[in-house]
Amino acid sequence: MRSLRSRITATMLCVIFAALAFATLLSAIFIRRTESRKSDQLLTMLCETGAMSLDYYFDSVQNSVLKVTSFAENDLSTIEEFNDEQFEEHMKAVRDYFEIMANKTKGVLTYYYRVDPSVSKTVKGFWYIDLDGNGFKEHEVTDITLYDVEDTSNLVWFTIPKYEGRAIWLTPYITDNLDVRVISYDAPVYYNGQFIGVIGIEVDYSTMAKEVDAIQLYNNGYAFLGDAEGNLFYHPHIDVTSLQGSFSIDIPYDNLEDRSLVKYNFEGKEKIAACKPLSNGMCLYVTAPIDETQGEWQGLILNIVLGTVVILIVASLFLMLYTRRITKPLEQLTEAADKVYNGDYDFELTYNEDDELGRLTRSFKSLSDNVKAHISDLNAQVYVDSLTHVKNKGAFTVAVDELQKEIDSASNPEFAIGAFDCDNLKSINDRFGHDKGDIYLKTASRAISDIFKHSPVFRFGGDEFFVILQNEDYQNLNELKEQFDKAADMINKNAINPWDKVFISKGFASYNHVQDKNVDEVIQRADKFMYDNKRERKSGLCNYL
């Protein structure tokens, strides 16, 4: 006969056992779904943030090439007579602009503008390289005449853009003469429908590889680059340049448009991947073994089954603390994402552990820094004059403010202001048209920039320019003024048309810490000397036209 105590004990044990079994079942279902959902979210978020970072990197290269190509075609349209002399002038203008864009672009190994031999036998173009990170140096160009430019298997950076007739990213290849593995973005240049040549930037393959290798997940997760047809551009475990045509990764590419996650088999291991198309036509894949994405939920379930009520309580407390450990950095990421959405890039992310959340946090911070830098680059472009490509009035105001801060801090900076005025611009505009007036201003701007090459040149407005001379140019001011006069005379001597000449009045004033209280006084003196020079030139009956 069982006692009441035994029955109560048995009943309680049954209730506890049933509750524990039910809780174990629910825990098993909950843990499995939560781990799977969390893994999918991490995989997708990492793929999206990585794609945004790579898009910024590739867009920087692509935008630079397209801007230089547009500049080149616009400059070609200004050529009155297409000959080698005019073509050399065109090449110099593109070279100067390309140098500016290449230095603003991340990861550039080489940049070039190559001319089709059928266009010119003497003007071949240019090729600049930076293999050691110490700046670009001009390199001897490849002799295109030694190749069949209609054969797209040779000189791919030249023949493929010519054949396609559009800007294009090329798959990795070994660049000519340098024996370096690169990818490149190349664009054809046309003049009145005629193919002129190719403008392109080659990016170090290892630089792109580092960007992709930085994307990691779990112990054996990684990222690679391909396209929607299964062609590989980069894979951390495969030498892409040595692939044969029969190689492929068994990913069901047809389903990628319907869902962001896809399962596949690679080297006998089941994997799951997230895919994100990039702006340059490639696709970023972030992949991880399925068994790693499942985590250790089987072990947790076993511990729950074998645990006691006390262990269950401790485990519950532990899970609460563990969940808090995950949600706190995610909350920080959410708040940071809201700030970025509203244009505020100043935030603090404290989580820096060596795990998936830590890598996600660091990737988000890196992405935010890249976007912030990109916005800064766009802001910098606001200060460039669209016609002459020197700095504009806004940039001059910023530079003057910086000099004034140095004066206010009693550091007594050494500098001089040069004021320039293009004489008779109105007459050229009235007689020959504003397009000739624009040529006149560009010629004057180049003349000033060529002589004062170590100093910033500003177009203040209309026909007026300023130069701020410091350091070497400040010390050699008198010599530079003589060189400028000689250069202007040479330009006028060789000019054929009135708008190709340069008649520029100039005035210079040096800062005197005893006499000058602010930069404006130096500018006013430079303006006065410039107008004095203008009156002297007019009294000399200078022939402007």
Side-chain angles (χ1 to χ4, degrees), residues 92 96 99 121 123 154 158 168 171 194 197 199 216 265 287 305-306 314 329 339 422 480 531:
K92 182 180 183 302
D96 292 341
E99 179 183 6
K121 301 296 184 182
V123 181
N154 293 318
F158 185 87
I168 189 172
T171 54
Q194 179 186 1
I199 286 175
Q216 298 179 355
N265 185 287
T287 182
V305 173
L306 299 177
V314 173
K339 286 187 175 182
C422 300
L480 292 175
Y531 282 110

Side-chain angles (χ1 to χ4, degrees), residues 65 69 98 110-113 184-187 198-202:
V65 171
T69 303
F98 212 155
T110 79
Y111 67 90
Y112 44 85
Y113 181 10
S184 67
Y185 186 71
D186 302 278
V198 170
I199 286 175
I201 286 179
E202 290 179 325

Side-chain angles (χ1 to χ4, degrees), residues 75-121:
D75 189 67
L76 283 169
S77 66
T78 63
I79 296 178
E80 294 289 330
E81 182 179 353
F82 200 86
N83 53 48
D84 286 346
E85 181 180 356
Q86 292 287 324
F87 206 36
E88 284 286 2
E89 287 294 323
H90 161 72
M91 196 61 61
K92 182 180 183 302
V94 176
R95 185 194 308 262
D96 292 341
Y97 185 61
F98 212 155
E99 179 183 6
I100 295 173
M101 298 305 299
N103 286 321
K104 289 182 178 180
T105 305
K106 178 182 176 183
V108 177
L109 182 69
T110 79
Y111 67 90
Y112 44 85
Y113 181 10
R114 295 305 316 278
V115 178
D116 194 306
S118 64
V119 175
S120 175
K121 301 296 184 182

